Amino acid sequence: MYTVRFFHDSGFTQLMPVMLGKSVDPLGPDPGSSVVKIPEIEYQGEKLRLTTSMILHKQVAVKGIGRIFIMSPNIRLERAERKESGRHLFEFTQADFEMSGAKKDDVFGLLEDYYRGLSEFLAREASEEFEALGIGIFEFKPPFKRYTTHELFDKYGEDWERQASLAHDQPFWAICYKREFYDKEDPKEEGHFLNYDLIYPEGFGEGISGAEREHEFEVIHRKIKRDKLDLSPYATYLKFAKAGLIPSAGAGIGMERLARFLSKSKHISEVTLFRRVPGMPVDI
Ligand code: ASN
């Protein structure tokens, strides 16, 4: 409720989610991804994929509308070992948003307002529920610290996400990951990327991913080829790119991960009614 109201109050237009797409998020190459395959169905002679994220749809939609958000269900068939992480579901929902003409600082500012307001909202509306859980309401205190992934790697080593998360008592931004083609490479610094994650403290780890976007056809086309992706699933998206995408930035807030963090739950399955945990059977 808070999330939907926040985006409406901040001038975003809510779109309904799409569950099938011709062009969907490839989720890679990303060292953090363990997705085994993107499920496809054939219908009316076309191959359609289950939505891994609506990033490519967001890029198309933001051009006309300016500020959009979607409570977006995603399917990501993760390897069974991910059960142990405590924070992976193979079906989850992200509050996915995109803003035309925005830079990463605009996204940070918006999301820091979101978290500040969330603590206030919970104190007002949910103190009894937190009392029943026997825990306090987490007080988000933005602005959150900002680090590059290189700084974090130098300080905490290979396992930096977990170690740095344990060493912090407030969320922090980790900036610059080499990942999917649609995240923008820094034009001033080749090999650096204008993308970011928000890492929750106390060992809870990543809760948000986002980026400034590539919007030029030539760059997108070159990077899809760089990643050795089959071009055919991206044909429709590339057509939109050729017709002209616009600069934008955005992110997706993992809703179950946020609920897990706020409720201090050990495993993310504790905050979902119909759990979809890699390596575990589906009940219903
Ligand atoms: N929602 C993310 C973004 O906006 C993409 C993702 O979920 N892979 O960058």
Side-chain angles (χ1 to χ4, degrees):
M1 177 171 77
Y2 169 79
T3 301
V4 171
R5 194 182 295 158
F6 173 85
F7 281 106
H8 279 293
D9 289 350
S10 306
F12 286 75
T13 299
Q14 182 170 13
L15 306 185
M16 292 298 118
V18 294
M19 289 302 294
L20 290 167
K22 278 185 162 181
S23 307
V24 300
D25 188 341
L27 297 176
D30 177 352
S33 170
S34 87
V35 167
V36 285
K37 66 168 179 188
I38 298 179
E40 285 181 355
I41 65 164
E42 209 156 314
Y43 182 58
Q44 301 184 148
E46 289 188 317
K47 266 196 192 137
L48 302 174
R49 291 159 190 86
L50 292 188
T51 297
T52 42
S53 94
M54 279 181 61
I55 173 60
L56 308 182
H57 295 82
K58 286 199 302 178
Q59 279 193 282
V60 170
V62 78
K63 184 176 176 183
I65 310 178
R67 285 184 150 209
I68 52 167
F69 83 103
I70 313 115
M71 298 305 286
S72 176
N74 292 180
I75 301 289
R76 299 185 185 175
L77 304 183
E78 309 268 358
R79 283 201 299 269
E81 308 87 88
R82 283 285 159 106
K83 177 181 160 191
E84 311 306 332
S85 76
R87 62 190 175 97
H88 284 89
L89 293 169
F90 61 83
E91 179 181 342
F92 66 94
T93 297
Q94 56 173 318
D96 212 2
F97 67 93
E98 198 71 16
M99 307 189 271
S100 68
K103 301 280 188 201
K104 66 179 179 353
D105 286 354
D106 302 313
V107 174
F108 293 172
L110 179 89
L111 285 170
E112 289 174 354
D113 287 347
Y114 170 84
Y115 282 103
R116 191 182 294 108
L118 178 59
S119 293
E120 290 163 11
F121 172 80
L122 293 175
R124 219 171 40 239
E125 304 279 339
S127 53
E128 274 176 33
E129 284 82 351
F130 280 87
E131 225 163 80
L133 286 171
I135 55 172
I137 294 171
F138 186 83
E139 197 185 341
F140 291 100
K141 292 181 183 157
F144 304 138
K145 289 193 173 132
R146 301 173 184 194
Y147 307 99
T148 66
T149 54
H150 313 286
E151 288 168 327
L152 292 164
F153 183 91
D154 289 346
K155 180 149 185 206
Y156 298 100
E158 187 117 28
D159 189 27
W160 65 259
E161 184 180 323
R162 188 171 156 68
Q163 298 310 328
S165 171
L166 286 168
H168 282 74
D169 56 12
Q170 281 287 317
F172 59 90
W173 297 105
I175 302 163
C176 185
Y177 293 81
K178 186 173 187 326
R179 58 189 182 200
E180 291 88 352
F181 65 82
Y182 49 76
D183 283 0
K184 194 171 178 66
E185 188 162 0
D186 190 341
K188 289 189 246 116
E189 220 178 345
E190 204 186 314
H192 283 71
F193 299 89
L194 300 172
N195 54 16
Y196 36 82
D197 282 0
L198 186 76
I199 313 290
Y200 292 133
E202 303 166 18
F204 283 89
E206 187 233 309
I208 286 185
S209 282
E212 294 180 25
R213 313 299 179 186
E214 302 289 8
H215 68 284
E216 290 165 329
F217 170 81
E218 284 74 23
V219 179
I220 292 172
H221 189 260
R222 169 170 55 74
K223 287 175 83 180
I224 291 179
K225 288 183 112 171
R226 171 202 75 183
D227 294 347
K228 302 193 173 45
L229 295 169
D230 177 10
L231 275 171
S232 55
Y234 301 103
T236 323
Y237 168 73
L238 283 165
K239 247 189 240 168
F240 279 105
K242 199 154 212 175
L245 297 171
I246 57 164
S248 66
I253 310 168
M255 297 315 291
E256 293 88 349
R257 287 186 178 183
L258 175 58
R260 175 184 175 231
F261 173 65
L262 292 171
S263 62
K264 302 285 149 79
S265 301
K266 196 163 162 28
H267 200 280
I268 197 161
S269 59
E270 293 166 45
V271 300
T272 60
L273 200 51
F274 303 113
R275 63 158 195 238
R276 270 87 174 98
V277 179
M280 285 178 81
V282 170
D283 291 325
I284 183 166

